[in-house]
Amino acid sequence: MAGLSLQHIYKRYKTRNKFSLIQFIKNKGKLPKKEKEFVAVKDFNMEIEDGEFIVFVGPSGCGKSTTLRMIAGLEEISEGNLYIGDKLVNDVDPKSRDIAMVFQSYALYPHMTAYDNIAFGLKMKKVPDVITDKNGKEKKIMRHFTKAEIKEKVNWAAQVLNIEEQLNKKPGEMSGGQRQRIALGRAIVRNPKVFLLDEPLSNLDAKLRAAMRAEIVKLHGKLKTTFIYVTHDQIEAMTMGTRIVVMKLGIVQQIDTPTNLFDFPDNKFVAGFIGTPQMNFFDVTIQKAGELLNVTFENGQTIGYKLSKLRVIKPEYLDGEQHTVTLGVRGENITTVKSGLKTSLTLKEVLGNTTQLFVHLTEDSNDFVVCVSERTGYNNGDVVDVAFDEKHIHLFDSETEEAIMGREYGNK
């Protein structure tokens, strides 16, 4: 087992300019030679402790899989240093990095049984050993695993993953969840320093995905090995990771625990990406007035919030002048009241034990969601008065989209 250190990691791709007939004529028959550079991962810095479960999450094209492939050695690092344990592995072959990777597509051999799929890597692998020669001297050698050793390891993996009954079956005879367990078994028998999982559950249906999430978390608890997991599903990230890396356009937005990402997002992107349903955002103006922070919404209504109940706001926004910011609040932190911020109901969704109200401030504004536990009697078009829980309000700079509130409560 080992930790990892990613130090100023970059991944750059060079792309040629698109061919243009007009440009070709202007250049008198010469093809353009200029190359453009696309940066897929920009200045990735992170220290991963031994035994952590790290999740890379973000929208498609954010660089999370590219980063994982650089750790695996499947992509060359353009700049920066990658350490696994104390060893610099920038130029080390994938097979020599002592990592195991589980792919989205399972990558099982269809003509082999589950047993042979799991055992295949062990049959190829050589391990150090010591033998005694004819003269009685000890000699270091590299040897293959014996059949007995391979059988012991495969049976152990099958027991851990609860797939003993599948060992004699071929992949075509198994369900998606069983095939994914076989792929996991092939990885864990190698006893690697690091497990890399690239969206391994995306091919499964919702119910099976939830079950396999739990299985992988249990597996991590049993093995105590470093896991790095890539997904675009923020629910997977929140339920599995000890820490989460949120990425956008190749840049790390925030690295934190699931609860801290949810409660204290560093910017508007993280706030909107983490949480279901998505956080509601409002373009507002704020102004300090004594012990209150007056917030004016786009419908012209002003609500005063007690500064003592809000998280600490940067001093430059509390100078008594008006400032344009973005206010964020989650649907579960909004309640319906007799007198409050006036909205109009667009749609009501009853979800069993909860109800989601989609409301808007003006005819031209986007809907935002209010999550309530009771089954309300509101109908489409009704006026709904709502109130925000002051302790769960987020404020972001309207230009940089960075959070302007700290993690402690109470403003002076």
Side-chain angles (χ1 to χ4, degrees):
M1 296 188 291
L4 290 88
S5 178
L6 292 88
Q7 302 175 2
H8 304 288
I9 299 293
Y10 284 79
K11 180 57 184 178
R12 300 185 179 94
Y13 295 98
K14 289 184 177 180
T15 57
R16 283 189 174 275
N17 290 332
K18 290 183 179 180
F19 176 79
S20 168
L21 181 59
I22 296 174
Q23 193 65 41
F24 180 75
I25 295 170
K26 286 183 178 179
N27 290 343
K28 298 180 180 179
K30 294 181 180 179
L31 289 171
K33 294 183 179 180
K34 289 185 179 180
E35 290 184 333
K36 291 183 179 179
E37 187 176 75
F38 170 68
V39 184
V41 178
K42 305 173 186 177
D43 200 21
F44 193 111
N45 285 285
M46 187 178 186
E47 299 294 324
I48 300 175
E49 298 295 328
D50 183 20
E52 277 197 279
F53 196 126
I54 301 297
V55 180
F56 295 166
V57 68
S60 297
C62 70
K64 55 188 184 297
S65 289
T66 302
T67 304
L68 193 79
R69 290 173 65 83
M70 284 192 285
I71 295 172
L74 303 177
E75 291 278 0
E76 184 180 343
I77 296 173
S78 302
E79 184 181 336
N81 292 319
L82 170 64
Y83 290 86
I84 298 179
D86 297 326
K87 184 178 180 181
L88 179 65
V89 296
N90 285 41
D91 300 319
V92 176
D93 291 335
K95 65 180 181 180
S96 304
R97 294 192 181 194
D98 200 7
I99 55 96
M101 192 161 181
V102 179
F103 298 93
Q104 176 182 346
S105 61
Y106 317 134
L108 300 176
Y109 295 106
H111 63 287
M112 292 185 181
T113 63
Y115 181 97
D116 290 331
N117 266 286
I118 295 173
F120 184 79
L122 296 176
K123 293 176 181 178
M124 299 295 105
K125 186 177 180 180
K126 287 187 176 182
V127 292
D129 202 354
V130 177
I131 61 170
T132 303
D133 62 17
K134 295 179 180 179
N135 299 321
K137 293 183 179 180
E138 290 188 344
K139 183 180 179 182
K140 292 181 180 181
I141 63 166
M142 296 296 292
R143 66 170 180 85
H144 289 289
F145 285 111
T146 65
K147 287 184 178 180
E149 288 172 328
I150 291 173
K151 184 177 181 180
E152 182 183 357
K153 287 178 178 290
V154 173
N155 288 337
W156 167 79
Q159 186 177 5
V160 169
L161 295 167
N162 194 26
I163 52 172
E164 294 100 324
E165 296 179 357
Q166 311 300 324
L167 291 180
N168 292 323
K169 295 181 181 179
K170 293 182 179 180
E173 303 172 73
M174 304 178 197
S175 67
Q178 291 166 344
R179 278 179 280 184
Q180 193 55 271
R181 283 185 172 89
I182 302 303
L184 286 168
R186 183 180 53 192
I188 69 174
V189 291
R190 296 182 55 198
N191 192 28
K193 291 180 180 177
V194 183
F195 281 96
L196 306 178
L197 300 98
D198 190 4
E199 302 200 45
L201 308 183
S202 59
N203 288 335
L204 307 180
D205 61 56
K207 185 177 180 180
L208 188 54
R209 213 163 42 232
M212 283 302 298
R213 281 205 307 265
E215 292 297 328
I216 291 174
V217 172
K218 290 177 186 176
L219 179 63
H220 174 255
K222 290 177 182 178
L223 301 180
K224 308 293 184 185
T225 309
T226 306
F227 275 52
I228 303 178
Y229 187 101
V230 164
T231 180
H232 63 274
D233 186 337
Q234 55 95 13
I235 294 178
E236 283 185 14
M238 292 290 287
T239 55
M240 299 177 77
T242 53
R243 283 195 297 162
I244 300 172
V245 182
V246 183
M247 299 183 70
K248 177 188 177 185
L249 300 176
I251 300 173
V252 173
Q253 303 295 306
Q254 187 172 349
I255 302 174
D256 220 323
T257 63
T259 51
N260 281 342
L261 283 176
F262 188 85
D263 294 335
F264 310 114
D266 282 350
N267 56 48
K268 183 180 175 183
F269 174 80
V270 175
F273 192 83
I274 299 295
T276 303
Q278 182 179 312
M279 182 182 287
N280 303 302
F281 296 109
F282 305 88
D283 294 326
V284 301
T285 59
I286 60 172
Q287 186 175 24
K288 182 182 178 183
E291 296 181 356
L292 295 177
L293 183 73
N294 286 332
V295 178
T296 302
F297 292 84
E298 59 185 305
N299 65 353
Q301 194 171 352
T302 299
I303 305 292
Y305 297 102
K306 291 183 179 179
L307 283 164
S308 59
K309 291 186 177 181
L310 295 170
R311 287 188 288 120
V312 176
I313 302 170
K314 290 182 178 181
E316 56 265 35
Y317 296 89
L318 300 178
D319 57 3
E321 301 294 326
Q322 278 195 347
H323 298 274
T324 301
V325 300
T326 300
L327 182 148
V329 63
R330 301 191 186 278
E332 58 267 29
N333 300 131
I334 306 175
T335 56
T336 56
V337 293
K338 290 183 179 180
S339 179
L341 181 64
K342 297 193 178 299
T343 69
S344 180
L345 181 64
T346 303
L347 177 67
K348 177 173 70 173
E349 290 184 345
V350 179
L351 304 175
N353 61 339
T354 61
T355 301
Q356 291 188 351
L357 304 177
F358 292 85
V359 297
H360 57 263
L361 294 173
T362 69
E363 291 296 331
D364 297 326
S365 63
N366 294 325
D367 287 343
F368 66 94
V369 64
V370 180
C371 303
V372 293
S373 57
E374 69 274 10
R375 297 186 182 181
T376 65
Y378 292 112
N379 296 311
N380 292 353
D382 286 353
V383 173
V384 182
D385 284 52
V386 299
F388 300 165
D389 185 344
E390 292 162 308
K391 292 183 178 180
H392 296 95
I393 285 176
H394 302 262
L395 295 175
F396 306 94
D397 186 275
S398 58
E399 293 184 2
T400 66
E401 297 188 348
E402 296 294 315
I404 64 172
M405 305 178 84
R407 298 190 177 188
E408 301 298 325
Y409 286 90
N411 291 272
K412 297 180 181 178

